[in-house]
């Protein structure tokens, strides 16, 4: 654990205080510091208004000025500095109508989600802890600031965040906090799927994901989330951290439902492509019984995807998804086959579609794609040498148009 980010940011806090304002480190960085974990980014809260922050520092970016946040550029780094604030009435259980800037740290931290995130710290590492967050860290307890129902009524994303913290930190949910989640779980239907997915990706990578996933099931949370609501998620079992895209592929593979579209998740095209690749690989694996078949599988899907699937074999087994015999499908053999692969993709073939057209004196057409696929298979199987004259000779004998 290192304090270097705090040390680098000390001059900012001192500069704000020199102008007569308060300033503190706050939130996740303080929590992680108290847990002796590495600090990845820091947030600063201050009694100075956005206009006052802009007057103190020469280089600023008003990234969220209306909400009180100014990005300060200092010593080749950027720092988000947010004014102490309270929030007006929330709309749709997610966003406040507006914010009111205040000069009191207590008023600022009392609006935060969990006690472990409501701890402030000055530049001398003195802790300001109005809600006993440090004690909750020591007790490994996740507890809302104030009444749980009120916090979750204001912002339903806090329910998902609480479960995410439980997964990442391996903490226990306070009973009243969990009861508050139960009473307000239906409000997550108002959340944007993008915000939920951000939290889910962190949740499913957490060391305590099995417990958090079970709580999602207990809360019936999936019933209020697009895509997931189309499935009976009680049939999916998770007992270890796993990539989010593999989790989605696992659902699709085990629980067929034409009404559930990946577009409902509003994820990137690259993520959709990765999920589809996992899906196709899981389907193809059901027909692998020999080393010869394994060669083509590894050629088609690559080393990364195969080793990833293999590393989560216990989760797949738990979900009644079978893999080939360990005699055939094991890390050593997969790596060996990948290393000995004569070609790695179609562009490695020593022939092109034009070569086929010229050699066979045929017009272009769908037959070219099929012919190239047959050439690939023959090379991978060791029936054909990847040498243009040999390939053309083989084509004349084996390709039917």
């Amino acid at each position: 654990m290192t304090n270097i980010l705090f040390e680098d940011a000390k001059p900012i806090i001192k500069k704000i205080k020199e102008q007569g304002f308060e300033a503190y480190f706050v939130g996740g960085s303080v929590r992680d510091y108290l847990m002796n974990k590495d600090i990845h980014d820091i947030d600063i809260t201050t009694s100075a208004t956005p206009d006052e922050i802009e007057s103190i520092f020469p280089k600023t970016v008003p990234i969220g000025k209306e909400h009180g946040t100014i990005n300060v550029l200092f010593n080749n780094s950027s720092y988000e500095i947010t004014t102490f604030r309270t929030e007006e009435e929330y709309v749709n259980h997610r966003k406040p109508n507006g914010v009111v800037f205040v000069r009191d740290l207590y008023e600022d931290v009392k609006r935060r989600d969990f006690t472990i995130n409501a701890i402030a710290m000055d530049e001398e590492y003195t802790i300001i802890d109005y809600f006993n967050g440090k004690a909750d860290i020591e007790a490994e307890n996740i507890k809302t600031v104030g009444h749980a129902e009120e916090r979750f009524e204001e912002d339903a994303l806090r329910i998902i965040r609480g479960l995410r913290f439980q997964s990442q930190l391996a903490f226990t949910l306070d009973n009243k906090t969990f009861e508050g989640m139960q009473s307000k779980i239906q409000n997550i239907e108002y959340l944007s799927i993008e915000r939920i997915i951000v939290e889910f990706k962190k949740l499913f990578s957490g060391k305590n994901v099995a417990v958090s996933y079970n709580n999602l099931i207990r809360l019936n949370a999936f019933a209020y989330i697009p895509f997931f609501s189309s499935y009976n998620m009680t049939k999916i079992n998770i007992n270890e951290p796993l990539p989010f895209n593999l989790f989605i592929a696992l659902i699709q593979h085990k629980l067929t439902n034409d009404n559930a579209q990946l577009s409902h998740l509003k994820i990137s095209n690259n993520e959709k492509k990765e999920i589809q690749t996992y899906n196709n690989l899981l389907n193809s694996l059901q027909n692998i019984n020999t080393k010869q078949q394994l060669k083509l599988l590894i050629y088609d899907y690559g080393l990364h995807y195969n080793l990833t699937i293999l590393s989560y074999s216990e989760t797949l087994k738990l979900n009644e998804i079978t893999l080939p015999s360990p005699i055939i499908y094991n890390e050593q053999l997969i790596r060996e086959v990948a290393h000995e692969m004569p070609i790695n993709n179609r562009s490695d073939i020593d022939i092109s579609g034009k070569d086929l057209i010229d050699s066979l004196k045929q017009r272009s057409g769908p037959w070219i794609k099929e012919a190239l696929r047959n050439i690939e298979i023959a090379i991978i199987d060791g029936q054909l040498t990847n040498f243009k004259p040999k390939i053309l000779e083989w084509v004349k004998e084996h390709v039917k148009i």
Side-chain angles (χ1 to χ4, degrees), residues 127-388:
I127 297 298
I128 301 92
D129 183 13
Y130 295 113
F131 301 100
N132 298 315
K134 187 171 184 292
D136 283 328
I137 289 174
E138 292 168 354
E140 300 186 344
N141 188 39
I142 296 173
K143 183 180 182 180
T144 55
V145 174
H147 295 292
E149 289 191 12
E150 291 179 13
R151 294 291 81 75
F152 298 136
E153 175 68 20
E154 291 168 346
D155 183 355
L157 188 67
R158 289 168 174 165
I159 297 174
I160 309 298
R161 279 171 55 82
L163 296 174
R164 186 255 288 184
F165 288 128
Q166 180 187 42
S167 176
Q168 290 181 315
L169 304 176
F171 281 14
T172 301
L173 283 173
D174 171 76
N175 287 337
K176 289 191 179 298
T177 296
F178 186 76
E179 289 169 6
M181 290 178 172
Q182 287 178 310
S183 70
K184 300 299 178 181
I185 190 62
Q186 69 276 7
N187 292 343
I188 66 174
E189 68 180 333
Y190 296 100
L191 302 175
S192 72
I193 186 63
E194 294 94 333
R195 297 300 299 273
I196 293 175
I197 296 305
V198 167
E199 296 298 328
F200 270 6
K201 288 177 179 177
K202 297 174 183 177
L203 187 155
F204 281 93
S205 67
K207 57 186 175 182
N208 204 33
V209 62
V211 175
S212 293
Y213 181 77
N214 183 55
N215 280 331
L216 284 167
I217 297 296
R218 289 175 62 196
L219 291 167
N220 197 28
F222 292 113
Y224 304 101
I225 305 174
F227 179 82
F228 299 101
S229 59
S230 299
Y231 295 101
N232 181 358
M233 294 297 294
T234 63
K235 293 186 178 296
I236 299 296
N237 300 293
I238 302 298
N239 68 342
E240 65 177 332
L242 79 166
F244 179 75
N245 290 343
L246 179 56
F247 169 61
I248 299 301
L250 189 160
I251 296 169
Q252 289 186 317
H253 184 80
K254 184 177 180 181
L255 307 175
T256 303
N257 191 319
D258 294 335
N259 294 322
Q261 304 295 322
L262 287 180
S263 58
H264 296 159
L265 295 175
K266 296 186 179 179
I267 55 179
S268 70
N269 288 333
N270 283 339
E271 289 176 295
K272 292 175 186 175
K273 183 178 178 181
E274 182 170 277
I275 291 167
Q276 191 57 56
T277 301
Y278 278 129
N279 248 317
N280 293 341
L281 176 53
L282 288 172
N283 286 325
S284 298
L285 281 167
Q286 308 308 307
N287 303 310
I288 302 301
N289 299 301
T290 66
K291 182 178 178 180
Q292 207 68 9
Q293 292 170 332
L294 179 67
K295 288 181 180 179
L296 187 59
L297 181 92
I298 294 174
Y299 173 76
D300 284 339
Y301 295 100
L303 186 64
H304 166 74
Y305 282 103
N306 277 284
L307 290 180
T308 300
I309 288 292
L310 186 64
S311 67
Y312 294 101
S313 58
E314 287 302 314
T315 293
L316 297 174
K317 183 179 178 181
L318 190 63
N319 287 281
E320 301 171 334
I321 299 174
T322 58
L323 296 182
S325 165
I327 298 174
I328 298 297
Y329 202 63
N330 61 75
E331 182 176 353
Q332 181 179 342
L333 189 54
I334 289 172
R335 290 188 180 278
E336 177 185 310
V337 168
H339 180 70
E340 296 173 352
M341 198 67 68
I343 56 174
N344 292 306
N345 53 62
R346 184 164 290 181
S347 64
D348 290 340
I349 299 176
D350 193 24
I351 198 171
S352 66
K354 185 178 184 304
D355 291 326
L356 292 176
I357 292 171
D358 293 343
S359 175
L360 298 177
K361 296 180 173 54
Q362 295 289 330
R363 292 182 178 180
S364 178
W367 67 271
I368 296 176
K369 183 177 180 180
E370 183 179 349
L372 288 171
R373 177 59 175 172
N374 289 333
I375 293 168
E376 282 180 312
I377 294 172
I379 293 173
I380 297 301
D381 283 347
Q383 301 171 15
L384 178 61
T385 302
N386 188 27
F387 180 52
K388 187 172 182 177

